[in-house]
Short mmCIF file of all heavy atoms in Angstrom, two decimals:
data_model
loop_
_atom_site.label_atom_id
_atom_site.label_comp_id
_atom_site.label_asym_id
_atom_site.label_seq_id
_atom_site.Cartn_x
_atom_site.Cartn_y
_atom_site.Cartn_z
N VAL A 1 -2.16 -11.06 5.41
CA VAL A 1 -0.97 -11.79 4.97
C VAL A 1 0.16 -10.82 4.70
O VAL A 1 -0.05 -9.63 4.47
CB VAL A 1 -1.23 -12.64 3.69
CG1 VAL A 1 -2.28 -13.70 3.94
CG2 VAL A 1 -1.57 -11.78 2.50
N LEU A 2 1.36 -11.36 4.75
CA LEU A 2 2.55 -10.65 4.33
C LEU A 2 3.02 -11.33 3.05
O LEU A 2 3.06 -12.56 2.98
CB LEU A 2 3.64 -10.72 5.40
CG LEU A 2 3.26 -10.15 6.76
CD1 LEU A 2 4.40 -10.36 7.75
CD2 LEU A 2 2.88 -8.69 6.66
N SER A 3 3.36 -10.54 2.04
CA SER A 3 3.72 -11.13 0.76
C SER A 3 5.15 -10.80 0.37
O SER A 3 5.74 -9.82 0.84
CB SER A 3 2.77 -10.64 -0.34
OG SER A 3 3.01 -9.27 -0.62
N ILE A 4 5.71 -11.66 -0.47
CA ILE A 4 7.00 -11.43 -1.10
C ILE A 4 6.81 -11.65 -2.60
O ILE A 4 5.82 -12.25 -3.03
CB ILE A 4 8.09 -12.38 -0.55
CG1 ILE A 4 7.69 -13.84 -0.72
CG2 ILE A 4 8.41 -12.07 0.90
CD1 ILE A 4 8.78 -14.84 -0.36
N ASP A 5 7.75 -11.14 -3.39
CA ASP A 5 7.66 -11.32 -4.83
C ASP A 5 7.95 -12.76 -5.20
O ASP A 5 8.90 -13.36 -4.70
CB ASP A 5 8.64 -10.39 -5.55
CG ASP A 5 8.24 -8.93 -5.44
OD1 ASP A 5 7.02 -8.67 -5.33
OD2 ASP A 5 9.13 -8.07 -5.47
N GLY A 6 7.11 -13.30 -6.07
CA GLY A 6 7.29 -14.64 -6.59
C GLY A 6 7.49 -14.58 -8.09
O GLY A 6 7.44 -13.50 -8.69
N PRO A 7 7.70 -15.71 -8.74
CA PRO A 7 7.96 -15.71 -10.18
C PRO A 7 6.76 -15.24 -11.01
O PRO A 7 6.92 -14.75 -12.12
CB PRO A 7 8.30 -17.16 -10.48
CG PRO A 7 7.78 -17.95 -9.34
CD PRO A 7 7.77 -17.04 -8.16
N HIS A 8 5.55 -15.37 -10.47
CA HIS A 8 4.34 -14.97 -11.21
C HIS A 8 3.50 -14.00 -10.40
O HIS A 8 2.28 -14.05 -10.42
CB HIS A 8 3.52 -16.21 -11.57
CG HIS A 8 4.27 -17.19 -12.39
ND1 HIS A 8 4.61 -16.97 -13.70
CD2 HIS A 8 4.81 -18.40 -12.07
CE1 HIS A 8 5.29 -17.99 -14.17
NE2 HIS A 8 5.44 -18.88 -13.19
N GLY A 9 4.16 -13.13 -9.66
CA GLY A 9 3.46 -12.15 -8.84
C GLY A 9 3.66 -12.43 -7.36
O GLY A 9 4.34 -13.39 -6.97
N PRO A 10 3.06 -11.60 -6.51
CA PRO A 10 3.25 -11.75 -5.07
C PRO A 10 2.73 -13.09 -4.55
O PRO A 10 1.69 -13.58 -5.00
CB PRO A 10 2.44 -10.61 -4.48
CG PRO A 10 2.17 -9.66 -5.60
CD PRO A 10 2.22 -10.45 -6.86
N VAL A 11 3.46 -13.67 -3.60
CA VAL A 11 3.04 -14.90 -2.95
C VAL A 11 2.97 -14.66 -1.45
O VAL A 11 3.63 -13.78 -0.91
CB VAL A 11 3.99 -16.09 -3.25
CG1 VAL A 11 3.98 -16.43 -4.72
CG2 VAL A 11 5.39 -15.80 -2.79
N VAL A 12 2.17 -15.48 -0.78
CA VAL A 12 1.97 -15.36 0.67
C VAL A 12 3.22 -15.87 1.38
O VAL A 12 3.65 -17.00 1.18
CB VAL A 12 0.73 -16.16 1.12
CG1 VAL A 12 0.60 -16.13 2.64
CG2 VAL A 12 -0.52 -15.63 0.46
N HIS A 13 3.81 -15.00 2.18
CA HIS A 13 4.99 -15.35 2.98
C HIS A 13 4.59 -15.75 4.39
O HIS A 13 5.17 -16.64 4.99
CB HIS A 13 5.95 -14.15 3.00
CG HIS A 13 7.15 -14.34 3.85
ND1 HIS A 13 8.16 -15.20 3.51
CD2 HIS A 13 7.53 -13.77 5.02
CE1 HIS A 13 9.11 -15.17 4.44
NE2 HIS A 13 8.74 -14.30 5.37
N ALA A 14 3.59 -15.06 4.94
CA ALA A 14 3.09 -15.33 6.30
C ALA A 14 1.63 -14.92 6.35
O ALA A 14 1.20 -14.03 5.62
CB ALA A 14 3.90 -14.56 7.33
N ALA A 15 0.89 -15.59 7.24
CA ALA A 15 -0.54 -15.30 7.37
C ALA A 15 -0.93 -15.32 8.84
O ALA A 15 -0.37 -16.10 9.62
CB ALA A 15 -1.36 -16.33 6.59
N ASN A 16 -1.89 -14.47 9.19
CA ASN A 16 -2.37 -14.49 10.58
C ASN A 16 -3.39 -15.62 10.75
O ASN A 16 -3.77 -16.31 9.80
CB ASN A 16 -2.92 -13.13 11.00
CG ASN A 16 -4.23 -12.76 10.33
OD1 ASN A 16 -4.75 -13.47 9.47
ND2 ASN A 16 -4.78 -11.62 10.73
N ARG A 17 -3.84 -15.80 11.98
CA ARG A 17 -4.77 -16.89 12.29
C ARG A 17 -6.06 -16.79 11.49
O ARG A 17 -6.57 -17.80 10.99
CB ARG A 17 -5.05 -16.89 13.79
CG ARG A 17 -5.98 -17.99 14.24
CD ARG A 17 -6.08 -18.01 15.77
NE ARG A 17 -7.15 -18.81 16.27
CZ ARG A 17 -7.16 -20.14 16.28
NH1 ARG A 17 -6.14 -20.81 15.80
NH2 ARG A 17 -8.20 -20.80 16.76
N ALA A 18 -6.62 -15.59 11.36
CA ALA A 18 -7.87 -15.41 10.62
C ALA A 18 -7.70 -15.82 9.16
O ALA A 18 -8.58 -16.44 8.57
CB ALA A 18 -8.35 -13.97 10.72
N ALA A 19 -6.56 -15.49 8.57
CA ALA A 19 -6.31 -15.86 7.18
C ALA A 19 -6.14 -17.37 7.04
O ALA A 19 -6.66 -17.98 6.10
CB ALA A 19 -5.07 -15.14 6.66
N LEU A 20 -5.44 -17.98 7.99
CA LEU A 20 -5.26 -19.43 7.94
C LEU A 20 -6.59 -20.15 8.08
O LEU A 20 -6.85 -21.14 7.38
CB LEU A 20 -4.28 -19.88 9.03
CG LEU A 20 -2.84 -19.40 8.87
CD1 LEU A 20 -2.03 -19.73 10.11
CD2 LEU A 20 -2.20 -19.99 7.62
N LEU A 21 -7.46 -19.65 8.97
CA LEU A 21 -8.79 -20.24 9.14
C LEU A 21 -9.65 -20.05 7.89
O LEU A 21 -10.55 -20.85 7.62
CB LEU A 21 -9.49 -19.65 10.36
CG LEU A 21 -8.89 -20.06 11.71
CD1 LEU A 21 -9.55 -19.28 12.85
CD2 LEU A 21 -9.02 -21.55 11.93
N ALA A 22 -9.38 -18.99 7.13
CA ALA A 22 -10.12 -18.74 5.90
C ALA A 22 -9.59 -19.59 4.74
O ALA A 22 -10.14 -19.54 3.64
CB ALA A 22 -10.05 -17.26 5.54
N GLY A 23 -8.52 -20.35 4.97
CA GLY A 23 -7.99 -21.23 3.94
C GLY A 23 -6.78 -20.72 3.20
O GLY A 23 -6.32 -21.34 2.25
N VAL A 24 -6.24 -19.60 3.61
CA VAL A 24 -5.05 -19.04 2.98
C VAL A 24 -3.85 -19.93 3.31
O VAL A 24 -3.69 -20.36 4.45
CB VAL A 24 -4.81 -17.59 3.45
CG1 VAL A 24 -3.49 -17.06 2.94
CG2 VAL A 24 -5.96 -16.70 3.01
N THR A 25 -3.02 -20.20 2.32
CA THR A 25 -1.85 -21.04 2.53
C THR A 25 -0.57 -20.29 2.17
O THR A 25 -0.54 -19.53 1.20
CB THR A 25 -1.92 -22.34 1.70
OG1 THR A 25 -2.07 -22.01 0.32
CG2 THR A 25 -3.07 -23.21 2.13
N THR A 26 0.45 -20.53 2.95
CA THR A 26 1.76 -19.93 2.69
C THR A 26 2.32 -20.49 1.40
O THR A 26 2.23 -21.69 1.14
CB THR A 26 2.71 -20.24 3.86
OG1 THR A 26 2.11 -19.75 5.07
CG2 THR A 26 4.06 -19.58 3.68
N GLY A 27 2.90 -19.62 0.58
CA GLY A 27 3.48 -20.02 -0.69
C GLY A 27 2.54 -19.88 -1.86
O GLY A 27 2.96 -19.94 -3.01
N ALA A 28 1.25 -19.68 -1.58
CA ALA A 28 0.27 -19.52 -2.66
C ALA A 28 0.31 -18.09 -3.20
O ALA A 28 0.72 -17.16 -2.51
CB ALA A 28 -1.13 -19.83 -2.14
N ARG A 29 -0.12 -17.94 -4.44
CA ARG A 29 -0.17 -16.59 -5.02
C ARG A 29 -1.26 -15.78 -4.34
O ARG A 29 -2.34 -16.28 -4.05
CB ARG A 29 -0.43 -16.65 -6.52
CG ARG A 29 0.71 -17.27 -7.29
CD ARG A 29 0.54 -17.26 -8.79
NE ARG A 29 -0.85 -17.38 -9.20
CZ ARG A 29 -1.33 -16.83 -10.32
NH1 ARG A 29 -0.56 -16.13 -11.11
NH2 ARG A 29 -2.59 -17.00 -10.65
N VAL A 30 -0.97 -14.52 -4.07
CA VAL A 30 -1.91 -13.63 -3.40
C VAL A 30 -3.20 -13.52 -4.20
O VAL A 30 -4.30 -13.56 -3.64
CB VAL A 30 -1.29 -12.24 -3.15
CG1 VAL A 30 -2.34 -11.24 -2.69
CG2 VAL A 30 -0.16 -12.34 -2.14
N VAL A 31 -3.10 -13.41 -5.51
CA VAL A 31 -4.30 -13.27 -6.34
C VAL A 31 -5.20 -14.49 -6.20
O VAL A 31 -6.43 -14.36 -6.18
CB VAL A 31 -3.92 -12.99 -7.82
CG1 VAL A 31 -3.26 -14.19 -8.47
CG2 VAL A 31 -5.12 -12.53 -8.61
N ASP A 32 -4.63 -15.67 -6.08
CA ASP A 32 -5.44 -16.89 -5.90
C ASP A 32 -6.12 -16.89 -4.53
O ASP A 32 -7.28 -17.30 -4.40
CB ASP A 32 -4.57 -18.14 -6.04
CG ASP A 32 -4.03 -18.30 -7.44
OD1 ASP A 32 -4.63 -17.77 -8.40
OD2 ASP A 32 -2.98 -18.98 -7.60
N MET A 33 -5.41 -16.44 -3.51
CA MET A 33 -5.99 -16.40 -2.17
C MET A 33 -7.10 -15.36 -2.07
O MET A 33 -8.08 -15.55 -1.36
CB MET A 33 -4.91 -16.13 -1.11
CG MET A 33 -3.85 -17.22 -1.01
SD MET A 33 -4.51 -18.84 -0.52
CE MET A 33 -4.68 -19.67 -2.07
N ARG A 34 -6.96 -14.27 -2.80
CA ARG A 34 -8.01 -13.24 -2.79
C ARG A 34 -9.26 -13.71 -3.52
O ARG A 34 -10.35 -13.18 -3.29
CB ARG A 34 -7.49 -11.96 -3.43
CG ARG A 34 -6.76 -11.09 -2.46
CD ARG A 34 -6.73 -9.66 -2.96
NE ARG A 34 -6.27 -8.78 -1.92
CZ ARG A 34 -5.40 -7.82 -2.12
NH1 ARG A 34 -4.90 -7.60 -3.32
NH2 ARG A 34 -5.03 -7.04 -1.12
N ALA A 35 -9.13 -14.72 -4.38
CA ALA A 35 -10.29 -15.22 -5.11
C ALA A 35 -11.33 -15.81 -4.17
O ALA A 35 -12.52 -15.67 -4.39
CB ALA A 35 -9.85 -16.27 -6.14
N PHE A 36 -10.88 -16.49 -3.10
CA PHE A 36 -11.86 -17.04 -2.16
C PHE A 36 -11.87 -16.34 -0.81
O PHE A 36 -12.64 -16.68 0.07
CB PHE A 36 -11.68 -18.55 -1.99
CG PHE A 36 -10.40 -18.99 -1.38
CD1 PHE A 36 -10.26 -19.06 0.00
CD2 PHE A 36 -9.33 -19.34 -2.17
CE1 PHE A 36 -9.08 -19.47 0.56
CE2 PHE A 36 -8.15 -19.76 -1.61
CZ PHE A 36 -8.02 -19.82 -0.24
N CYS A 37 -11.02 -15.32 -0.65
CA CYS A 37 -11.04 -14.50 0.55
C CYS A 37 -10.88 -13.04 0.12
O CYS A 37 -9.80 -12.46 0.23
CB CYS A 37 -9.93 -14.93 1.51
SG CYS A 37 -9.98 -14.07 3.10
N PRO A 38 -11.96 -12.44 -0.42
CA PRO A 38 -11.86 -11.09 -0.98
C PRO A 38 -11.46 -10.00 0.02
O PRO A 38 -10.95 -8.96 -0.39
CB PRO A 38 -13.26 -10.81 -1.53
CG PRO A 38 -14.00 -12.08 -1.46
CD PRO A 38 -13.27 -13.01 -0.55
N ILE A 39 -11.68 -10.21 1.32
CA ILE A 39 -11.34 -9.19 2.30
C ILE A 39 -9.90 -9.32 2.79
O ILE A 39 -9.51 -8.65 3.75
CB ILE A 39 -12.33 -9.20 3.48
CG1 ILE A 39 -12.27 -10.54 4.23
CG2 ILE A 39 -13.73 -8.87 3.03
CD1 ILE A 39 -13.00 -10.53 5.55
N LEU A 40 -9.12 -10.15 2.15
CA LEU A 40 -7.74 -10.39 2.55
C LEU A 40 -6.92 -9.10 2.46
O LEU A 40 -6.87 -8.45 1.42
CB LEU A 40 -7.11 -11.46 1.65
CG LEU A 40 -5.72 -11.93 2.01
CD1 LEU A 40 -5.72 -12.65 3.35
CD2 LEU A 40 -5.18 -12.87 0.92
N ARG A 41 -6.30 -8.74 3.56
CA ARG A 41 -5.43 -7.56 3.61
C ARG A 41 -4.00 -8.02 3.36
O ARG A 41 -3.54 -9.01 3.95
CB ARG A 41 -5.53 -6.87 4.96
CG ARG A 41 -4.64 -5.66 5.07
CD ARG A 41 -4.81 -4.95 6.37
NE ARG A 41 -3.70 -4.02 6.54
CZ ARG A 41 -3.53 -3.28 7.60
NH1 ARG A 41 -4.39 -3.31 8.58
NH2 ARG A 41 -2.49 -2.46 7.69
N VAL A 42 -3.28 -7.31 2.50
CA VAL A 42 -1.93 -7.70 2.11
C VAL A 42 -0.96 -6.57 2.40
O VAL A 42 -1.20 -5.42 2.03
CB VAL A 42 -1.86 -8.07 0.61
CG1 VAL A 42 -0.46 -8.49 0.21
CG2 VAL A 42 -2.87 -9.15 0.27
N ASP A 43 0.13 -6.91 3.08
CA ASP A 43 1.25 -5.99 3.29
C ASP A 43 2.52 -6.70 2.87
O ASP A 43 2.55 -7.94 2.77
CB ASP A 43 1.34 -5.58 4.76
CG ASP A 43 0.32 -4.52 5.13
OD1 ASP A 43 0.45 -3.38 4.66
OD2 ASP A 43 -0.61 -4.85 5.89
N TYR A 44 3.57 -5.93 2.64
CA TYR A 44 4.84 -6.54 2.23
C TYR A 44 5.59 -7.10 3.43
O TYR A 44 5.64 -6.49 4.49
CB TYR A 44 5.72 -5.51 1.51
CG TYR A 44 5.21 -5.19 0.13
CD1 TYR A 44 4.56 -3.99 -0.12
CD2 TYR A 44 5.36 -6.09 -0.91
CE1 TYR A 44 4.06 -3.69 -1.37
CE2 TYR A 44 4.86 -5.80 -2.17
CZ TYR A 44 4.22 -4.60 -2.40
OH TYR A 44 3.73 -4.33 -3.64
N ALA A 45 6.18 -8.26 3.23
CA ALA A 45 7.00 -8.90 4.26
C ALA A 45 8.39 -8.25 4.26
O ALA A 45 8.78 -7.58 3.30
CB ALA A 45 7.12 -10.39 3.98
N ASP A 46 9.11 -8.48 5.31
CA ASP A 46 10.48 -7.98 5.46
C ASP A 46 11.39 -9.15 5.81
O ASP A 46 11.81 -9.29 6.97
CB ASP A 46 10.51 -6.90 6.54
CG ASP A 46 11.90 -6.32 6.78
OD1 ASP A 46 12.79 -6.52 5.93
OD2 ASP A 46 12.08 -5.68 7.83
N PRO A 47 11.69 -10.04 4.85
CA PRO A 47 12.52 -11.22 5.16
C PRO A 47 13.89 -10.86 5.72
O PRO A 47 14.39 -11.53 6.62
CB PRO A 47 12.66 -11.94 3.82
CG PRO A 47 11.53 -11.45 2.99
CD PRO A 47 11.25 -10.05 3.45
N GLY A 48 14.49 -9.78 5.24
CA GLY A 48 15.79 -9.35 5.77
C GLY A 48 15.68 -8.92 7.22
O GLY A 48 16.53 -9.26 8.06
#
């Protein structure tokens, strides 16, 4: 996933197919997504 800063920590900005199939959703907090997908790799997004 690619993350951006959210009001309560990083949130998912974009996800690859494997992450989507694992149940990761855009807009969710990264920490919540890692709870059920521990191997989730996170990098910073570049919205600009």
Side-chain angles (χ1 to χ4, degrees):
V1 298
L2 301 177
S3 71
I4 57 173
D5 290 331
H8 301 289
V11 296
V12 175
H13 176 70
N16 71 356
R17 181 174 167 74
L20 294 172
L21 290 173
V24 173
T25 57
T26 303
R29 293 184 328 149
V30 170
V31 68
D32 294 336
M33 296 298 98
R34 274 201 169 136
F36 64 86
C37 186
I39 62 169
L40 186 66
R41 179 176 166 183
V42 181
D43 282 291
Y44 288 104
D46 180 15

